[in-house]
Amino acid sequence: MPAYKYTLKSGKTLWYANFYYTDWTGEKKHICKRGFKTQREAKDYERSFLDQQSSSSDILFSSLVANYLEDMEHRLKPTTMENKRFIIDTKLLPYFGKQKICDIDTIKVRKWQNELISYRDDDEKPFSQTYLKTVNNQLSAIMNYAVSHYHLPVNPCRAAGSMGKSKADEMNIWTQAEYEKFSNAISKSSMKLAFDILFYTGMRSGELLALTPADILSSKRIDINKNYAKIKGEELFLEPKTPKAKRCISIPDFLYDDIQEYISKLYGIGNGDRIFYFQKTALEKEMKRVSERIGLKPIRVHDLRHSHASMLIELGFTPLEIAERLGHESIKTTLDTYSHLYPDKDQKLADRLNQFRKN
């Protein structure tokens, strides 16, 4: 892999890579890339580029990742891709980026897992069990991709075993009393309404931020048909997370009235304009600020969705009804997520059978 030196008019010396390769259609092509400060940088560029054209397991993990992300970009939503890139850039590439994928074995995977399990931040807090599971799943997905497309014999993550847990041991939620204490302490009308919608509908924050006046139906229902996201400065309206996420949900009278009153005060708003013009980060900051000020245990914005589900369970609604309201793809998702909130349901069933036999 030769690299060549050239000199600018200013007298500064730089390097360039000059090579040929055969693309996936079988056509031979020429690459000449200038502007490298060192010979090593030019050679590294050529190696990385040729790796990405290869279908062999004898390529660097960083090259595999580049191809994996390019492929997935055509198949996944931008928000999913953004999350993938963050995990890969911060948790995978620093450890495996310079290694060949064929050299990544179970021992290396275990050592990587142990480092993440042992990590503590400035407050001595570890990564959550669910986050560790998510990160581990991402590495496994990439290695599965290598098995399918780069002739890697086996996925080393399988033999190494997993880390973390699929769901948290405890779910952070607020009761209705706790939520009302929080809501009453918010001074900004837009923020207060946004949080009220989240708590009393269980919708996702992206669904909330995508709402327009046209989505608030006169039948006192909300038509949830899109997701809002801002990625690298670009505002996006995306299809709902799953087909079942596109849904119409009924809302209580007080919430419908509050929404209509708020919209009436927004000068010049059109039917297709967003009702709320802040970002999710603004919700997170306001939630943290207010809850700390009034002494409430901190929870995430997404935990308001769990709080809503918990409230519905307490009110006696069935898992099927809750699944439809939350827009879960299947009732299994609802049961897997909230089964721990039904601790005495089995005993109640047995009690009713006892009563049935006595009668």
Side-chain angles (χ1 to χ4, degrees):
M1 295 193 298
Y4 305 94
K5 187 188 300 184
Y6 67 99
T7 305
L8 301 176
K9 290 182 179 179
S10 62
K12 184 177 180 179
T13 298
L14 295 174
W15 294 80
Y16 70 94
N18 187 56
F19 57 93
Y20 289 88
Y21 77 99
T22 303
D23 72 8
W24 67 278
T25 66
E27 185 178 348
K28 192 170 185 179
K29 293 186 176 180
H30 174 239
I31 292 289
C32 183
K33 175 79 171 176
R34 299 175 178 270
F36 299 102
K37 294 180 180 179
T38 65
Q39 183 182 31
R40 183 182 183 83
E41 287 181 4
K43 288 184 175 182
D44 285 347
Y45 169 80
E46 182 180 351
R47 168 62 193 266
S48 177
F49 186 94
L50 293 177
D51 269 357
Q52 290 178 48
Q53 312 308 312
S54 171
S55 60
S56 163
S57 63
D58 188 37
I59 68 170
L60 295 179
F61 183 81
S62 58
S63 300
L64 171 67
V65 161
N67 285 350
Y68 171 78
L69 290 174
E70 182 183 358
D71 189 5
M72 292 299 106
E73 197 161 21
H74 300 282
R75 302 164 186 266
L76 300 176
K77 293 169 60 176
T79 47
T80 305
M81 288 300 301
E82 189 75 0
N83 291 334
K84 273 186 178 291
R85 285 196 178 92
F86 179 80
I87 290 174
I88 289 170
D89 289 344
T90 60
K91 302 299 182 294
L92 303 187
L93 286 176
Y95 294 89
F96 302 114
K98 297 179 181 178
Q99 299 183 47
K100 293 180 179 179
I101 58 173
C102 57
D103 292 336
I104 300 174
D105 55 21
T106 57
I107 297 300
K108 290 178 180 177
V109 171
R110 295 284 293 190
K111 287 183 176 179
W112 166 75
Q113 289 176 338
N114 290 337
E115 283 209 30
L116 293 182
I117 292 170
S118 302
Y119 170 84
R120 297 295 183 274
D121 65 14
D122 294 338
D123 296 323
E124 289 299 310
K125 291 183 178 179
F127 291 126
S128 72
Q129 290 296 303
T130 51
Y131 185 70
L132 289 175
K133 183 74 172 179
T134 298
V135 173
N136 194 83
N137 286 349
Q138 184 55 74
L139 177 62
S140 186
I142 292 172
M143 300 310 282
N144 278 336
Y145 185 80
V147 171
S148 299
H149 305 292
Y150 288 84
H151 306 292
L152 186 68
V154 294
N155 179 351
C157 297
R158 292 184 180 276
S162 188
M163 65 174 173
K165 298 178 180 179
S166 298
K167 58 182 180 179
D169 294 328
E170 293 184 4
M171 186 171 286
N172 291 319
I173 59 174
W174 281 341
T175 64
Q176 185 191 21
E178 288 174 319
Y179 174 73
E180 288 297 341
K181 181 181 179 182
F182 166 77
S183 179
N184 291 332
I186 301 173
S187 57
K188 301 176 184 176
S189 61
S190 59
M191 281 289 177
K192 176 177 169 55
L193 179 60
F195 282 118
D196 283 353
I197 293 173
L198 288 173
F199 183 80
Y200 284 105
T201 68
M203 70 173 62
R204 302 172 178 90
S205 58
E207 295 169 342
L208 167 86
L209 296 175
L211 289 178
T212 67
D215 298 324
I216 314 302
L217 308 180
S218 59
S219 57
K220 297 184 179 179
R221 298 169 64 130
I222 295 180
D223 183 9
I224 301 173
N225 53 63
K226 54 191 174 297
N227 247 319
Y228 170 83
K230 190 172 184 178
I231 299 177
K232 296 179 181 178
E234 183 182 1
E235 293 189 325
L236 303 172
F237 286 96
L238 307 169
E239 283 291 309
K241 188 175 182 179
T242 64
K244 288 286 182 69
K246 187 178 286 188
R247 63 204 187 278
C248 266
I249 59 171
S250 298
I251 58 176
D253 292 350
F254 74 85
L255 188 57
Y256 176 80
D257 294 340
D258 288 346
I259 293 172
Q260 291 296 0
E261 182 182 355
Y262 176 75
I263 291 175
S264 70
K265 295 177 181 177
L266 299 177
Y267 178 76
I269 187 171
N271 271 341
D273 295 334
R274 286 175 58 212
I275 295 173
F276 301 110
Y277 270 89
F278 40 75
Q279 306 296 321
K280 184 182 176 182
T281 52
L283 289 169
E284 291 167 344
K285 289 177 182 177
E286 181 74 356
M287 194 172 198
K288 185 174 186 294
R289 184 185 68 80
V290 174
S291 59
E292 286 180 352
R293 178 165 60 81
I294 63 177
L296 271 179
K297 63 183 178 186
I299 66 173
R300 305 169 303 162
V301 171
H302 190 73
D303 292 326
L304 292 177
R305 179 170 165 85
H306 299 320
S307 300
H308 181 72
S310 173
M311 182 171 61
L312 296 183
I313 291 169
E314 286 300 312
L315 291 172
F317 290 97
T318 66
L320 178 59
E321 291 170 312
I322 295 171
E324 290 176 348
R325 186 167 180 84
L326 297 183
H328 285 160
E329 191 62 17
S330 72
I331 193 172
K332 182 179 183 301
T333 303
T334 311
L335 291 171
D336 287 347
T337 307
Y338 301 114
S339 59
H340 64 290
L341 297 178
Y342 288 89
D344 60 344
K345 294 294 184 289
D346 196 47
Q347 183 58 50
K348 286 183 178 179
L349 186 150
D351 292 343
R352 290 185 68 177
L353 289 174
N354 283 332
Q355 189 63 39
F356 177 77
R357 181 167 186 185
K358 287 177 183 178
N359 292 337

